[in-house]
Amino acid sequence: MPKLKLPKPPLPDSLKPTPQPPGNGNGKQSLKEKTIEGGTEAGIHVVDWVDERTSLSGGLRWAMFRHVPKGTNWFYTLGSATLFAFLNQAVTGVFLATYYDPNPSRAYESIRYVTNEAFLGELVRGMHKWGSTLMVILIFLHMGRTFFFGAYKYPRELNWVIGVVLLVLTMAMSFTGYLLPFDQRSYWATIVGVNINGTGPIVGPFLSDFLRAGPDFGATTLSRFYAIHMLLIPGALIALIGAHLYLVAKLGTTAPPWLKAQERDELRGEEV
Ligand code: HEM
């Protein structure tokens, strides 16, 4: 089948320089008119300047203007909702990291300070804490959507596998983040969690040793969890989300299963 090429979308009017007759009839532009025109053109010049040196607009058009099958519905927004939840975690996490101290004797106090004293600290901490729960709910709903719509099938198997890794990493984010307030509940719950990991076959004991940062649950465990929570896993998540979205843009979105059934009927009709 010949590959369909989308026509280039027109530039929005706001980006087109409009040739205006100079001045208000007497051939001269007032200072106000000059400033407005200069301001409008400046934006276009900046975009042009960057584009001429990077050709970014080509990539943007490739990613943004795609064929979308008929029948897509609200369930298709769950991936973007998960992405939004992730971005919320990233932004609020950066703010929390500016106050957090991963030292066992100061961790709890630093979180208490954020919650009770820092400006809007309680809000930001609440957004991070509840956002993590929301992200877990959304990622499962998104996975359910892709499963029930058959989006894991050829040619999207690799995107499904990347998705499974994203799911595991998201759960690992929740697990490592839970210890950070370092109160009684998070401390004992994490000991239980690490011990459960230790019961896994073959890799279990290595995994729990790695998480504890040694044979015992001690001061180094907290900094290990913090490093995993704010450096190791976010880095992997960003890279894998990038690959996931690249594949979504490259392969396009799956049509809803009921639409496929209709197409197959049509094809069968042609064959006869
Ligand atoms: C951080 C987590 C994730 C993010 C940010 C994310 C983001 C997205 C986005 C924005 C889309 C395109 C819109 C849509 O179809 O909803 C998508 C599609 C897809 N995702 Fe995810 N996703 C994540 C996790 C997962 C998981 C856990 C799975 C499955 C195990 C998965 C499997 C897929 C598949 C197969 C598609 C293609 C859907 C289609 O072609 O119709 N994703 N993802």
Side-chain angles (χ1 to χ4, degrees), residues 20-211:
Q20 278 168 356
N24 37 16
N26 58 10
K28 279 193 175 172
Q29 269 183 308
S30 68
L31 182 64
K32 189 180 163 195
E33 281 168 337
K34 270 189 198 161
T35 317
I36 292 175
E37 199 187 313
T40 321
E41 299 269 310
I44 300 164
H45 287 315
V46 171
V47 173
D48 275 351
W49 192 91
V50 175
D51 195 37
E52 207 178 323
R53 282 150 188 85
T54 58
S55 302
L56 271 178
S57 67
L60 270 179
R61 281 173 195 224
W62 175 81
M64 311 285 285
F65 297 98
R66 291 173 285 121
H67 285 293
V68 176
K70 274 186 199 162
T72 45
N73 52 38
W74 280 99
F75 292 113
Y76 285 76
T77 59
L78 288 166
S80 310
T82 315
L83 182 64
F84 183 76
F86 171 73
L87 292 177
N88 170 63
Q89 292 307 99
V91 173
T92 52
V94 168
F95 281 106
L96 292 178
T98 57
Y99 287 99
Y100 184 67
D101 187 345
N103 182 309
S105 54
R106 289 193 295 269
Y108 181 79
E109 169 54 26
S110 67
I111 296 249
R112 193 206 57 75
Y113 180 82
V114 172
T115 316
N116 298 337
E117 279 159 66
F119 176 63
L120 293 182
E122 194 175 3
L123 176 73
V124 175
R125 187 180 168 208
M127 283 171 74
H128 197 75
K129 193 181 159 200
W130 290 104
S132 70
T133 307
L134 187 73
M135 183 171 169
V136 171
I137 294 172
L138 286 171
I139 201 172
F140 272 106
L141 290 176
H142 171 58
M143 185 171 74
R145 196 291 281 171
T146 54
F147 178 76
F148 287 113
F149 282 47
Y152 55 86
K153 294 180 193 168
Y154 175 85
R156 297 183 182 79
E157 303 94 322
L158 183 61
N159 221 12
W160 172 266
V161 173
I162 293 177
V164 172
V165 181
L166 284 173
L167 179 74
V168 173
L169 290 179
T170 304
M171 303 303 278
M173 277 301 260
S174 305
F175 180 60
T176 48
Y178 199 78
L179 177 68
L180 302 184
F182 221 54
D183 52 18
Q184 287 289 329
R185 185 168 51 176
S186 72
Y187 180 83
W188 293 107
T190 306
I191 289 190
V192 173
V194 170
N195 287 344
I196 292 174
N197 274 291
T199 60
I202 307 168
V203 287
F206 297 104
L207 188 61
S208 56
D209 263 4
F210 170 72
L211 289 170

